[in-house]
Amino acid sequence: MQQPFSTTVGDVLRQRLAGYQEQAILYDCGVVLSVGDGVLHLSGLGRCRYGELIAFPGDIYAMAMELSEEGVGAVLLNGVNELRVGAFAQSTGRVVEVPVGDKLIGRVIDPLGMPLDGKSLDAETLRPIEGPAPQIIHRQNVSQSLETGLLAVDSMIPIGKGQRELIIGDRQTGKTTIAVDTILNQKGKDVLCVYVAIGQKAADVAKVRETLEQAGAMEYCVIVAATAGDCAAMQYIAPYAGCAIAEHFMVQGQDTLIIYDDLSKHAVAYRTMSLLLRRPPGREAYPGDVFYLHSRLLERAGRLKEELGGGSLTALPIVETMASDISAYIPTNVISITDGQIYLETELFHAGVRPAVNVGLSVSRVGRAAQKKAMRDVSGKLRLSLAQYRELQIFAQFGSDVDESTRRLLAYGNRLTEILKQPQGAPYSLSEQVVLLLLVSGGYTDGVEVSRVREFGKGLLAFLHKQWSPGMKEIDTTGELTDDLRKGLESGIKRYVASVGQKV
Amino acid sequence: MALTGTLRIAGPYDEDTIRNITGHFSALLSTEVTFSVSRDDSLIGGFTAIVDNKLYDSSILSRLGRLEQHLTK
């Protein structure tokens, strides 16, 4: 409120305290009956609500998770080793909240909003970590693309703003790399990113932060970390806290991207809590509401209508499979909730195909509508060709004679696979992706040895950036490949091929 | 049924004060209340009483806390 120049502190206090009345000073109170492994049971607290914060002496807090006639079951958020039986508990009437807003950008915090990067945090706005998902009438269709910068993904499994796309695969198949590369590619695109680490090794989170820092991506990124050393309750609330942070930006009209790395560990943390709270175990010992655990989280993603600011929240949850089993409980749950999945395969990874995307099992249910026209024009038959190639490749391994058309398809597939390989942290722009796909599909690499295709493509990109830079920029800005642009591009490619001595 | 509770008081206190508080709670809850009393200077002033799963907080510490919340709202 604007105050006149001559205002004193006394004036302000008098004004603010006018009409102030002392409120009730009666709290619900309980006593700790048992405590262990971060889970406690309390007597009393008859009016406690589900999810409410319960305070203990010494600034220790717990979250109510189980309400029954016998008392309250709660999970400790801090001070796991400090609480004793007989300690008094007080209900606060508040739910768990997390600081939100611009001051969080570039920071690493825990799920309660405490900074983990050694600097102080002075955020003014708080937001409850749990909240309702946007209503049906407040949403609009996914129609804008969110580019990952990965040729294999953007061409065949495109992601749109507001989509939920699962990244799934065994350990060490490059799941986090895809997520981090996607964050890196948002530089200068006005998309705020939240990376939520759940049950990860602290060293791995530090590595992600370093990668983002070095690429200058922390300027538009927030990291929420509940590492493997944190208690199950902190790991449980981490994705909801991250989502609340991203949601705050979304309702202000901002495009946001959130990575949940990973939801299998989140489910394990929830299973730990549920078993300690004596809830009945179901399949794989997960509690009955493990589906709802993830569905209510991922439902909060989406794209709001223009009247509501037009902000979006794109979610990329990660799920780790065991021995490539995507029919396990948590993977099938999350697959059914999301709008598609990027499936990464160990065999492909070890064969040097990186990103190790299995095109046959990967799908994007809504992203195709959001794909830029230029990309749609050049990637139409890509999936089919690659799927056919993979199938034929299996037969070709037996060394039997193949006819001419099969041989041609195999050669094309080999070159396509080669061009789809992409090093870590080197995202392609839209124009670069269009060029590379046109290079292979146009047959310009037919005279090039398979092992040299990538190098050839790299050379072509450098050549075009130098010789045909206005055309490249036009594709990037308009997102279209007009006839004129296509002709210009093809003549550029031909000139390059001629200059390096290859026949077309 | 008689109830027992915990009473924390800031600063020195005498028997009369305890008797007054105990009498007040006995009347309020319509039953005999007995307290185990302890001194807690962190409350700055006033007292807190825990009885029948309720916390009656009449300490200066909590009043200042609520005032702070009101002023910074």
Side-chain angles (χ1 to χ4, degrees), chain B residues 6-53:
Chain B
T6 313
L7 183 65
R8 290 190 297 153
I9 299 187
Y13 55 88
D14 53 26
E15 284 302 313
D16 272 355
T17 314
I18 305 297
R19 211 175 299 124
N20 272 339
I21 295 174
T22 310
H24 178 79
F25 277 102
S26 298
L28 188 75
L29 300 169
S30 312
T31 182
E32 195 187 325
V33 177
T34 52
F35 282 116
S36 68
V37 188
S38 61
R39 180 172 164 170
D40 185 353
D41 288 340
S42 70
L43 300 177
I44 305 172
F47 70 90
T48 65
I50 297 170
V51 58
D52 194 22
N53 285 332

Side-chain angles (χ1 to χ4, degrees), chain A residues 246-262:
Chain A
E247 227 170 30
H248 173 79
F249 292 121
M250 175 182 72
V251 295
Q252 289 181 334
Q254 179 78 48
D255 289 321
T256 55
L257 166 72
I258 188 161
I259 316 284
Y260 301 115
D261 193 2
D262 63 71

Side-chain angles (χ1 to χ4, degrees), chain A residues 287-309:
Chain A
D289 63 340
V290 78
F291 185 91
Y292 178 58
L293 173 82
H294 291 147
S295 66
R296 74 171 193 267
L297 171 71
L298 293 167
E299 267 302 288
R300 287 162 75 178
R303 184 155 165 249
L304 297 179
K305 277 187 172 169
E306 296 303 328
E307 306 91 272
L308 296 165

Side-chain angles (χ1 to χ4, degrees), chain A residues 99-120:
Chain A
V100 292
D102 293 342
K103 285 185 179 160
L104 286 172
I105 295 170
R107 305 300 305 272
V108 184
I109 58 164
D110 75 5
L112 292 172
M114 298 293 159
L116 295 174
D117 48 10
K119 297 177 227 160
S120 68

Side-chain angles (χ1 to χ4, degrees), chain A residues 9-306:
Chain A
V9 174
D11 293 336
V12 175
L13 285 177
R14 256 188 294 278
Q15 194 185 344
R16 297 293 291 268
L17 291 175
Y20 172 72
Q21 280 187 329
E22 284 254 299
Q23 288 163 359
I25 48 165
L26 181 66
Y27 300 106
D28 252 359
C29 186
V31 177
V32 177
L33 296 177
S34 70
V35 57
D37 295 321
V39 170
L40 47 94
H41 290 91
L42 304 153
S43 68
L45 292 179
R47 289 188 194 165
C48 185
R49 290 178 305 160
Y50 184 81
E52 188 170 327
L53 261 190
I54 301 168
F56 299 91
D59 277 338
I60 297 175
Y61 289 94
M63 185 168 63
M65 292 291 294
E66 190 85 30
L67 309 177
S68 67
E69 281 184 348
E70 288 84 49
V72 175
V75 287
L76 277 168
L77 297 171
N78 61 346
V80 172
N81 298 319
E82 290 162 40
L83 210 60
R84 292 184 181 167
V85 170
F88 282 107
Q90 187 183 320
S91 59
T92 60
R94 290 187 292 131
V95 291
V96 183
E97 289 170 323
V98 68
V100 292
D102 293 342
K103 285 185 179 160
L104 286 172
I105 295 170
R107 305 300 305 272
V108 184
I109 58 164
D110 75 5
L112 292 172
M114 298 293 159
L116 295 174
D117 48 10
K119 297 177 227 160
S120 68
L121 179 63
D122 185 25
E124 287 141 9
T125 325
L126 292 170
R127 191 179 175 93
I129 60 163
E130 294 265 11
Q135 292 175 29
I136 297 167
I137 50 159
H138 293 160
R139 292 173 185 260
Q140 66 170 319
N141 282 346
V142 173
S143 59
Q144 289 174 351
S145 68
L146 184 123
E147 282 125 16
T148 62
L150 297 164
L151 183 56
V153 176
D154 288 346
S155 58
M156 293 179 285
I157 321 144
I159 300 170
K161 284 178 180 167
Q163 188 177 342
R164 291 105 21 113
E165 181 80 8
L166 170 67
I167 303 172
I168 186 168
D170 275 12
R171 54 183 290 277
Q172 295 291 315
T173 48
K175 301 184 295 297
T176 305
T177 307
I178 287 194
V180 171
D181 279 356
T182 309
I183 294 180
L184 296 184
N185 195 46
Q186 304 315 312
K187 195 169 190 177
K189 292 184 178 166
D190 204 19
V191 177
L192 285 172
C193 305
V194 180
Y195 176 82
V196 186
I198 311 152
Q200 302 287 316
K201 283 175 264 181
D204 290 348
V205 183
K207 215 158 42 182
V208 169
R209 183 185 173 270
E210 205 180 299
T211 310
L212 295 174
E213 184 88 65
Q214 276 171 1
M218 282 306 283
E219 289 162 21
Y220 55 87
C221 194
V222 184
I223 297 180
V224 181
T227 57
D230 288 320
C231 59
M234 288 291 255
Q235 295 183 31
Y236 161 69
I237 63 169
Y240 301 103
C243 189
I245 292 169
E247 227 170 30
H248 173 79
F249 292 121
M250 175 182 72
V251 295
Q252 289 181 334
Q254 179 78 48
D255 289 321
T256 55
L257 166 72
I258 188 161
I259 316 284
Y260 301 115
D261 193 2
D262 63 71
L263 290 188
S264 341
K265 293 199 179 69
H266 182 236
V268 168
Y270 187 58
R271 177 171 65 183
T272 309
M273 275 169 36
S274 299
L275 292 174
L276 289 167
L277 284 164
R278 297 173 208 155
R279 288 182 184 167
R283 182 176 162 191
E284 291 178 28
Y286 289 105
D289 63 340
V290 78
F291 185 91
Y292 178 58
L293 173 82
H294 291 147
S295 66
R296 74 171 193 267
L297 171 71
L298 293 167
E299 267 302 288
R300 287 162 75 178
R303 184 155 165 249
L304 297 179
K305 277 187 172 169
E306 296 303 328

